[in-house]
Each structure stands twice: as C-alpha cells, then as structure tokens.
Amino acid sequence: MWFGRILLLTALAAFSVLWPGLAPAADIDSYAKAYDRLLAQDARAGADGTSVWGDATPRQGTVSLSSGGRTVHLGQGPGWLFGLAVPLGEGKTLSRVALVRPDGQTTFAAVDALPPGLTPVAASRQAPAVAAVASPEAALAALTDRLLGHSLQGRRVYAANEAVTDTATVALWRGKVALSGGPGWLFFVDDKPGANWEHPCRYVLVARTGAITVARATMPPKDLSAFTEVTSRAAPASKAANGAAAPTVSPPTAKAATDASHRYAVIISGGANRYSNYPRYWNDCSFFFTTLKANGFLQDNIYVLISDGKNPAVDQSDGTSSLWDLNDDGIDDTRYSATKANITAVFDELAGKMTSEDILYIFTTDHGGNNTDTNPAPYANSDVVLWLWNDTFITNTEFAAEVNKVRAKAVVGIFEQCFSGGFVEGLKGANRVLLSASRWWELSYAAAAEDLDYDEFSYYATQALADPTKGDSNGDGIVTLEEAYAYALAKDSYQSETVTDTDNDGEHPSYYSNPWDLGRKLALTGAYPQAKAPTYGGYSQYEVNDTFPSDGQSTGWKGTDTSWTLDLPFAFPFNGTTYTTVNVGSNGILSFGTATTSGLNTVDDLKAAVAVAPYWDALATPSSGDGISVDSGAADLTVIWRVHTWVDDRPVNVAARLFPNGAIRFYYGTGNRNTSRTQYRDKTIGLSLGDAASGKYLLGLRNGEPDLGNAKSLLIQPATMAPPSTGLPWGSLLLQ
C-alpha cells in the first residue's frame, strides 16, 4: 500500500545505504564506448530504421561542418564524430551529427545531409552483459555503463538513501511512480539539469540480479532528502553567499515619463519546495528588483512573493534560506510566500489601489508545467501552470483572472518559467506587453554561461533594462520593453529545433504587444508616446496595414533545400552594396551573395548570413498548388511562397517585397501556425548583413509568435527613413 509518504520502500533493507559522494564511472576511452554514449544520449540512434554512421578516428581541434550554406559548430575535439539518419515516415529522414568527447560531453546538431568521411556502424550491437550486483557502488556502475553510456556527464544522478527489497514508490509534485523488481538500489536521474522543471527524468531500479527497471517522469521527488546526489556540480564562479555577484545596474539617462507613484510591480518565484528552489530564482528576482529600484520604483509599490516568504527556515536547494533583502540596502523586500492565496491577496490590494493612470509590471520565474488534466504532450493547447511554494501551482487561466482585476493604463509581463508562453496566451488583451522565455509547449533553461547563476532569457531581458549600454538600440536614453525582448532574443543561446526524449532542446522567446507598438513606448520609467523606433543594423521595423499580395508569375520552382537566382528589376541597396540578383531559397529566405539552401534555422544562423527572411523554415512543395511566384516591376519586386512545412505538411503562405530604396515588407497569408511540440518546425524572421559581431542584423518581433495566420505585414526599412504614416499611431490615445 502507498501511504502518501514522499518515498516508501516496501520491505526496507535492515540497514540504510549512505552515499558519501561516489565517484562516477570511467569516461569514454574507445570508439565502442563513444557509440554506447551516443545511444544513451539519443534513444533514436538505436531505434528500428535509424542508420548510424561514424568515424573511429577521433576528430581533433575545432570540429565544424558545412551544411546548406550554414556552418555547424560542434566544439573542440578530441572526440568521435557520428551521424544519424532518423526515418520520419513518408520518405522523410532527419539528419543529425554528434561529437562525443572523452569526458562524455556530447554535442548534437541538425544537418541537411551527413558529412563525408563516415562509415556505417554495425546495425547489430551486442547488448551489454547483465551481471549480478552486490553493492550500491556496483549498482551505480551498472546504471552508468548500461543506461547512461559510461558517463554521468550532463546529468544529475541521485541515489535513494535506503535499499529496496521489493517495490519502490516515489511521490512526485503530482502523482507518483512505482518500480518493482527488488531487491536492489533506486536512483533518480535528472536528464536535463539545465532546464527548469517540468522536464524529462527517470527513476531507475537496479536489482541485485543486474536487471534494470526504468520509470519515466517529468517531475523530481517530492522530498529529495530521501536521496543523495552522487554527481558533483561546480558552483558558478561568480556565485556569492546567496547568489551570483551583482550584475551592472545603471540609472536611466532619460527622465521618467510616468511618476513613480503610478508604477507598480509584482515579482513571483515559487520554487515548488526547498529541494527544487534553486538559488538562481532568487538571483532572477534580485536582479529585476534592483533594476526596478534603479528606475525609481517606490518600495511600497513592489510586491515580492518568494518561496516561503519571511520564514527563516531553509528554503533553497543549496541548504540556505532566501535573503529577504533583494538589493542589499538593509530593507526587507520579500513580503509574502509565493502561494495562490497570497497572489489573490496582492491583486485584490492592487485592484483597490490602481487606476487607469497606472502601469503594472509583472515578473515570474522558477518552474512551470503543462496542465496535465487538459494539455498532455505534445501540448496542443496553451493550458499551463506556474509552480508555487509547497508543491502547489496556479494555472494561466487563474493567474489571468487575478491580473484582470486590476485597472491600468498598461500591463507588462516577463515570464521565465517552462511553458511560459501559456501565460502570454492567457493574458493577451488591449494595453499589454508580454514577454516569455519559451512558448507554451517548450521548456526554459538556466543561463548557459558557467559564471551566471540566473535563467537565460530573464537574465538578458533584465540586463537590457538595467544597462542602457546593452539595451538602448537607438541612443535615445530609453530602454523599452521591445528593446529588452530584442536584446534577449539575440543573446539567448538555446536555439535548437530538436526534440530529445520528450521535450525541446531549445527555447524560443515570444513577444506580444497590443497595440503592436506599445512595447516600444513602455520602459520601466513609464510610457513615452513619442519614443523612437528601435534600431538594429541600421534598420527599424513597423507593423503596417497591407493586404497579402496576389499571385505573381509562376516560376515553376519546386523542391526542398534549394535556391534559384532571380534578376532584380532595379539595383537593391543592402549591406553597403547594391545587388542586381537575389537567391530565392525554397525555405522562405532571400540571400545575397552566397545562397542559403538549408531549412535548418536559428537566430545565430541568420546573423551569419547576408539575407532577408520573412519565414525561414524547413519548407517543401508537396501539393499541386504549391510553388513560388514572382511579381516584378520597376517600383518593387515581390516573391511569394505558397508551400508547406517539411516535417508535418502545415500550410505556409508568406511573401517578401523589396523596394529600390532598400525597404522590405513581409506578408503573411493563411496558415503559418507553429503550435505544439514538433522538431525541425520553427521559423526565423528578420534580416542580416552578415556581421553579427557588429550587431548588423534585425530580428523580427514575430520570431516567437506561434500563429502568423493572416498576420499584419511587417515593414523593415533603413532607420534614416521617416516612419510610415499607416499603422504607426504616434499620437496613440492609449498613452497620452
């Protein structure tokens, strides 16, 4: 019987096994072990129909590959290079390469075709021998060698403090897992320790017979004290007593546009429980709070709800209690514990205080999840939750109901947690600007830089707001919410389109502004109705009212991962050069000079190109009505793609129009929906002049938008040109 305990081990052993920091098993020292590691890192490598290729000679130095006009970086050798051809059905194959290093670190990348120099790995592989295990050390070695590919690198592994003699049942934040087959030893394996929860993990029972039983889950144990970690994780170099060293926070140079008495903020970080409340969440809140104070916010107008509030008990995973002073000024800033009741109380209070002259800023971090009752994988709808203290949560619908109590001139939301795009969907409405680290079907991640103990997206969004030298794109002394999003999008390093196990390997920050230009008029210092358009690479972008172009002249161009040269009817100025031809890619991209043929796309890939991308994605022309047409004249040239996504045949109808003065318009017709978790189906929007180091690129605000069906057109033009008169209400009544 399961008694509701956090960890119940049926028929417990007579003694408790202690784990004083066991050393991990040997690293990868042969091609055969490297292949085992590959199988452990991507289960598809061993699936029926998948072909695996490799090179038994380790690659040395910098390992980079060329793929469809892109340069794919796999990092530094030595390491063994592998290629995977994964069948999708209907004649489609996904190609991946991987570099397996001796320390077990494995880097994957998507490619258009496997590189030369690889030979087939034998399809038949002898399964590892199953031998009896007589000790916890031997059980860990069996787990490491047979399940994890000879290395614990890249995972966090915990051993249960008590041995199992029959059945183990582990309570999770929601529900439980049970494993039978004892006697033996129980382990908890965190497969994506860089991601916020909920994300893939495993519970593993290694029996004394050598048999291994695995239960997959997406949540850690409710009480991690029943386990002891057997892996080590170095603290970030800049980590201080309660978090990372304070980043740069500078007072704004522009005068506040809205009096501090009319600006309010709510900061929420639940953490779930003391074992999963990572110090980086406190750091996220501290950074944002300190930035608010530097921008003149009144202490009484900032509502901070963090984990267990002002309880001095241990509430963080490193065994410390969260400091209540977020900016080291001697004042306690945390007011409440992060519970649903306290969230209700805060918004009730704000509903009684705020008026239509006030602006509300909301910041959330820690863990998020799908609402399992209504939104199982692959997360086809936006029902999600934010985890609060004591293993409780609030749904996006419930949270929106709280926020909707408040009257405000504008509401701003910055959401860091996994599946945070669901909070954007739940809060959409007039006079709102909403930013999220990921879409509603995606995980979000901790900062990739080893010296940063923060979360990736919220760190860079806050850094832009905190330091005008980072976020102010046009030199007007104001860092707007639009600029904060654009900066964070460009800096975010989790750009992969792949899915490993059950969840995404990358995050795609999203942005919502209603009206569309509200985000470029709102800063932490208030509302600036006459704020200048952000400028990137010498260009600015605007939403305009323009109808989708009618079909031009059919070109007869069909295919995948290819490009055709098109003569321009005028000299087009771009990148300090005038072009008379353009390469029309089958994947929704126009490139100048070197053709970009790959549909595998990321923000960094666009930055490296000289190109214009209305909807760069892996596209195809499977239907009779699919194709690319061109409408060419002395006043402009329009390229129209009527195609489908390559991986799942969703309709895509987009167009790009070039003008002799260097302006560009992007158009969006029916279809264009990137919703629910599917690998290799995402888009990159914007332009690049091929000099990322100098910031010569502009990323479209719609990069993270899940649905661009019949979306309004986007105008990108040289920043020296006057703003368009249509679609740009500089005299916006909403902010006067």
Side-chain angles (χ1 to χ4, degrees):
M1 179 182 295
W2 185 65
F3 296 100
R5 288 184 56 199
I6 305 310
L7 174 66
L8 173 66
L9 300 179
T10 306
L12 293 176
F15 59 91
S16 175
V17 179
L18 301 180
W19 299 82
L22 296 176
D27 290 327
I28 313 303
D29 57 9
S30 68
Y31 182 50
K33 284 187 176 180
Y35 178 61
D36 289 343
R37 179 65 171 171
L38 176 74
L39 296 177
Q41 296 297 87
D42 189 345
R44 291 171 297 189
D48 290 342
T50 297
S51 59
V52 181
W53 301 62
D55 185 353
T57 302
R59 301 293 173 103
Q60 305 293 329
T62 301
V63 182
S64 299
L65 307 171
S66 179
S67 175
R70 304 159 53 243
T71 299
V72 178
H73 300 285
L74 292 174
Q76 290 295 123
W80 290 270
L81 184 65
F82 292 93
L84 283 71
V86 183
L88 294 178
E90 300 181 0
K92 299 174 183 176
T93 302
L94 296 179
S95 298
R96 284 184 100 183
V97 290
L99 183 69
V100 181
R101 298 173 181 79
D103 65 357
Q105 184 177 353
T106 306
T107 303
F108 287 93
V111 292
D112 297 282
L114 298 184
L118 305 181
T119 57
V121 177
S124 60
R125 171 179 171 270
Q126 191 170 19
V130 176
V133 295
S135 69
E137 293 86 354
L140 177 62
L143 167 72
T144 304
D145 288 339
R146 292 168 49 200
L147 194 66
L148 304 182
H150 312 290
S151 175
L152 301 181
Q153 196 278 337
R155 291 181 172 88
R156 299 186 74 171
V157 179
Y158 303 76
N161 296 333
E162 298 174 311
V164 181
T165 61
D166 184 13
T167 299
T169 300
V170 184
L172 313 179
W173 296 353
R174 289 186 291 193
K176 60 184 178 180
V177 296
L179 299 95
S180 58
W185 293 271
L186 178 67
F187 298 88
F188 162 56
V189 180
D190 183 351
D191 285 307
K192 283 185 180 286
N196 299 310
W197 293 105
E198 303 166 15
H199 65 250
C201 62
R202 287 174 282 182
Y203 294 84
V204 182
L205 177 60
V206 180
R208 286 184 175 272
T209 61
I212 294 179
T213 304
V214 178
R216 294 186 176 273
T218 60
M219 297 178 193
K222 195 175 183 70
D223 182 4
L224 202 56
S225 68
F227 293 77
T228 298
E229 186 168 8
V230 299
T231 46
S232 61
R233 177 175 179 265
S238 64
K239 188 173 174 62
N242 200 72
T248 299
V249 178
S250 303
T253 57
K255 181 181 178 181
T258 302
D259 188 81
S261 63
H262 291 290
R263 288 178 278 143
Y264 293 82
V266 177
I267 298 174
I268 302 172
S269 176
N273 57 52
R274 58 162 292 189
Y275 308 105
S276 300
N277 185 26
Y278 306 131
R280 69 174 181 264
Y281 301 142
W282 186 95
N283 296 340
D284 293 342
C285 296
S286 171
F287 192 11
F288 191 71
F289 178 90
T290 303
T291 302
L292 292 177
K293 293 290 288 184
N295 281 268
F297 274 69
L298 302 177
Q299 182 79 22
D300 289 345
N301 283 10
I302 307 175
Y303 295 76
V304 180
L305 302 87
I306 292 181
S307 56
D308 64 353
K310 302 185 75 172
N311 186 333
V314 170
D315 68 345
Q316 292 194 123
S317 62
D318 62 356
T320 64
S321 179
S322 299
L323 297 180
W324 307 332
D325 180 0
L326 298 184
N327 62 339
D328 199 27
D329 64 355
I331 300 173
D332 290 347
D333 305 307
T334 297
R335 296 200 198 184
Y336 309 109
S337 60
T339 66
K340 190 185 296 188
N342 285 337
I343 290 174
T344 295
V346 165
F347 281 100
D348 283 345
E349 182 174 335
L350 289 173
K353 280 186 175 181
M354 293 183 63
T355 72
S356 58
E357 297 300 312
D358 300 326
I359 304 173
L360 175 62
Y361 302 81
I362 302 169
F363 179 92
T364 68
T365 186
D366 93 270
H367 307 290
N370 62 301
N371 190 344
T372 51
D373 292 335
T374 61
N375 191 24
Y379 319 125
N381 64 59
S382 58
D383 293 342
V384 301
V385 303
L386 171 68
W387 283 95
L388 303 175
W389 184 245
N390 201 24
D391 302 321
T392 62
F393 60 82
I394 187 169
T395 69
N396 58 338
T397 301
E398 292 169 333
F399 190 78
E402 298 296 343
V403 176
N404 291 341
K405 296 174 182 176
V406 176
R407 289 183 300 163
K409 175 185 289 187
V411 174
V412 172
I414 301 176
F415 308 113
E416 168 57 45
Q417 70 271 10
C418 288
F419 305 93
S420 49
F423 271 55
V424 172
E425 296 299 314
L427 284 167
K428 281 183 175 179
N431 307 329
R432 292 184 176 177
V433 178
L434 309 169
L435 291 66
S436 69
S438 61
R439 275 85 61 88
W440 74 69
W441 59 91
E442 292 180 329
L443 308 180
S444 64
Y445 286 85
E450 292 183 356
D451 61 342
L452 291 176
D453 199 15
Y454 295 85
D455 282 290
E456 181 86 350
F457 174 76
S458 65
Y459 175 81
Y460 288 115
T462 306
Q463 184 181 55
L465 296 167
D467 185 354
T469 65
K470 306 287 188 184
D472 182 9
S473 70
N474 53 22
D476 64 356
I478 305 166
V479 181
T480 64
L481 272 300
E482 180 180 317
E483 288 174 314
Y485 169 76
Y487 178 81
L489 176 65
K491 298 288 286 186
D492 199 302
S493 58
Y494 293 97
Q495 299 180 15
S496 175
E497 291 186 294
T498 60
V499 173
T500 301
D501 198 359
T502 60
D503 281 296
N504 55 292
D505 296 321
E507 61 185 22
H508 295 80
S510 64
Y511 176 82
Y512 171 84
S513 177
N514 183 4
W516 76 270
D517 58 344
L518 180 61
R520 66 179 48 173
K521 300 177 182 182
L522 285 178
L524 293 184
T525 44
Y528 296 83
Q530 304 300 325
K532 293 168 58 177
T535 301
Y536 299 97
Y539 288 82
S540 296
Q541 60 184 313
Y542 309 89
E543 184 178 286
V544 293
N545 293 312
D546 204 353
T547 58
F548 190 83
S550 57
D551 285 340
Q553 182 70 35
S554 175
T555 60
W557 295 338
K558 284 178 172 284
T560 57
D561 295 338
T562 189
S563 181
W564 303 270
T565 301
L566 176 66
D567 291 329
L568 297 172
F570 46 78
F572 180 69
F574 193 67
N575 192 30
T577 304
T578 54
Y579 292 90
T580 57
T581 63
V582 63
N583 303 305
V584 179
S586 60
N587 294 308
I589 187 170
L590 304 177
S591 52
F592 300 89
T594 302
T596 299
T597 58
S598 175
L600 302 172
N601 63 94
T602 66
V603 164
D604 282 350
D605 288 328
L606 179 59
K607 290 185 205 175
V610 180
V612 171
Y615 199 98
W616 185 17
D617 196 5
L619 305 175
T621 54
S623 303
S624 59
D626 288 348
I628 300 172
S629 61
V630 174
D631 187 0
S632 179
D636 56 63
L637 175 133
T638 306
V639 179
I640 304 167
W641 289 264
R642 295 193 181 278
V643 292
H644 285 76
T645 55
W646 173 79
V647 73
D648 61 353
D649 294 326
R650 293 193 177 197
V652 173
N653 293 279
V654 297
R657 179 171 290 164
L658 308 183
F659 295 88
N661 62 2
I664 305 156
R665 290 199 185 202
F666 295 161
Y667 299 86
Y668 302 94
T670 57
N672 313 323
R673 298 187 73 244
N674 285 66
T675 54
S676 77
R677 186 198 64 213
T678 300
Q679 61 190 339
Y680 296 148
R681 188 201 66 218
D682 217 312
K683 79 282 185 190
T684 302
I685 298 172
L687 64 78
S688 174
L689 308 182
D691 187 1
S694 300
K696 292 188 176 181
Y697 55 85
L698 179 146
L699 302 176
L701 295 175
R702 297 200 173 116
N703 269 285
E705 196 164 327
D707 189 347
L708 287 176
N710 294 313
K712 289 188 178 180
S713 305
L714 184 67
L715 168 65
I716 302 175
Q717 65 180 30
T720 54
M721 295 175 60
S725 57
T726 59
L728 191 64
W730 293 108
S732 171
L733 296 176
L734 292 166
L735 291 179
Q736 289 289 354

